Amino acid sequence: MKLKVNDSNPGQVSVEHDPALRSEVRDDNQREYLVELGPFQPRLPCFPTNPDIPQGKQNRFSPRWYDEYPHLEYSVEKDAVFCFVCSLFDDTPSKEKADPSWKTTGVRKWHKMKSVGKSKQGKLVQHFSSQSHKASLGAYCHFLQRTKHIDIQLDKEKRAAQIQEAQDLEYNRQIILILLDIAKTLARQALPFRGDSNEDGNFYQLVLLLSRHIPNLKRWLTDKRLNPYHVTYFSPQSQNEFIMLLEKELRGKVIEEVKCAGMFSVMADTTPDEEHTDRLSVVLYDISAPLESQLKDCWIFRRRRTRQVLDKHKTSCRQ
């Protein structure tokens, strides 16, 4: 995200929201814009892993760190973390003692971010408790008081509403993943989603079953805070949409596997259903490269074995 150039203020240049792409912040107009946006804190479905970190250790960024350190930023471009206030106010008296990677190159040693016991502090604690960060935080608070911008005041109610909205989005995402998993299981077992009524169907009953063991799902069913626009996703339309999403994902994976396969075959057949309507079934069989190599080796072995049997048979006939 960039700040648009203001023709009446030619000194104002574009500013990237991603900290890795962001150039040095030079004036108060850029600072005010970035403070209004807040730290760049994307919540990806799955963050990339760092291949340089050994297996068994924390090898990717965790979005839970946003809650512990509100001024932490994550760069999608560079897969690294930065400090929001230190990048905005790096001209403090303690900047000589500051680690420049939190402002310029970024930090991505994920296995060293959290503390291990009391004696070995993690990089997060080391930076956010450092004198250089505290100095930048003081300059940040002074800037807020000096600008008096209504959108960047420390409004506790507004901040609480923003935090609640972000939590609701993440919470709803987790619930949708559970509902998709239920739909995937029913489709895998070829079970109907609905019965004589929606409440008697397998989908709804499985949701009730899991809610007795998953507190978040139970809270999602009983929480009335979001009413009157609370959505349950229990309707036939929602269940059909889940099936279509799963079909699209499965079809994409099958197409990808077929493109990478050495060879494949297609079989099609029809069979009548309960309404005596022919239903077409298509079976796609593909052979991956390792299996293809095994079949080739097996064919060569069988060919050699056949020659040995024939030679032995010819010898016995001569005798």
Side-chain angles (χ1 to χ4, degrees), residues 155-170:
D155 187 346
K156 293 183 179 180
E157 293 183 0
K158 181 179 178 181
R159 180 61 178 169
Q162 292 175 343
I163 294 175
Q164 185 63 53
E165 182 182 0
Q167 291 176 348
D168 287 343
L169 289 174
E170 177 63 20

Side-chain angles (χ1 to χ4, degrees), residues 2 15 26 29 40 100 115 133 148 223 255 286 297 301:
K2 291 185 178 181
V15 179
R26 300 176 181 177
N29 289 330
F40 188 63
S115 302
H133 174 74
K148 300 293 183 181
D223 189 6
I255 293 174
D286 66 273
D297 293 342
F301 171 78

Side-chain angles (χ1 to χ4, degrees), residues 51-227:
D52 297 331
I53 299 178
Q55 292 184 352
K57 297 185 177 182
Q58 178 77 32
N59 61 356
R60 69 179 68 199
F61 174 79
S62 173
R64 294 191 299 269
W65 298 339
Y66 291 147
D67 301 327
E68 298 181 57
Y69 304 96
H71 296 131
L72 183 68
E73 290 189 294
Y74 174 82
S75 169
V76 178
E77 177 72 19
K78 208 168 184 177
D79 183 32
V81 289
F82 296 77
C83 179
F84 179 65
V85 295
C86 291
S87 63
L88 265 63
F89 303 93
D90 61 346
D91 55 350
T92 58
S94 302
K95 67 177 182 180
E96 291 80 6
K97 300 179 181 179
D99 183 358
S101 58
W102 286 93
K103 298 178 290 186
T104 55
T105 59
V107 180
R108 60 193 306 264
K109 295 181 178 180
W110 311 125
H111 61 304
K112 295 184 178 180
M113 301 301 277
K114 299 295 290 184
S115 302
V116 180
K118 296 182 179 180
S119 58
K120 191 175 181 180
Q121 288 187 335
K123 289 186 173 295
L124 289 170
V125 173
Q126 290 178 7
H127 174 74
F128 287 98
S129 62
S130 64
Q131 293 297 324
S132 60
H133 174 74
K134 292 179 180 179
S136 298
L137 185 61
Y140 170 75
C141 295
H142 178 71
F143 175 78
L144 293 180
Q145 295 294 330
R146 179 168 56 86
T147 54
K148 300 293 183 181
H149 197 287
I150 188 172
D151 292 332
I152 56 175
Q153 294 299 309
L154 295 177
D155 187 346
K156 293 183 179 180
E157 293 183 0
K158 181 179 178 181
R159 180 61 178 169
Q162 292 175 343
I163 294 175
Q164 185 63 53
E165 182 182 0
Q167 291 176 348
D168 287 343
L169 289 174
E170 177 63 20
Y171 176 61
N172 290 334
R173 188 186 70 85
Q174 295 175 1
I175 296 301
I176 291 297
L177 290 177
I178 295 175
L179 297 180
L180 279 171
D181 204 16
I182 294 174
K184 186 189 300 182
T185 301
L186 291 174
R188 167 65 177 79
Q189 298 301 114
L191 295 174
F193 281 54
R194 298 182 294 276
D196 296 334
S197 65
N198 198 40
E199 288 73 17
D200 295 331
N202 291 325
F203 185 85
Y204 184 74
Q205 291 299 322
L206 277 177
V207 172
L208 295 182
L209 172 63
L210 292 178
S211 68
R212 293 195 283 269
H213 304 279
I214 303 177
N216 281 345
L217 185 58
K218 183 177 182 180
R219 173 172 161 255
W220 183 73
L221 292 173
T222 58
D223 189 6
K224 304 298 182 183
R225 180 175 56 84
L226 298 177
N227 281 349

Side-chain angles (χ1 to χ4, degrees), residues 300-317:
I300 294 175
F301 171 78
R302 290 176 60 87
R303 188 178 179 186
R304 290 176 178 173
R305 181 61 179 166
T306 303
R307 287 180 178 177
Q308 291 176 1
V309 172
L310 290 175
D311 293 342
K312 185 176 181 181
H313 179 70
K314 290 179 180 178
T315 304
S316 59
C317 288

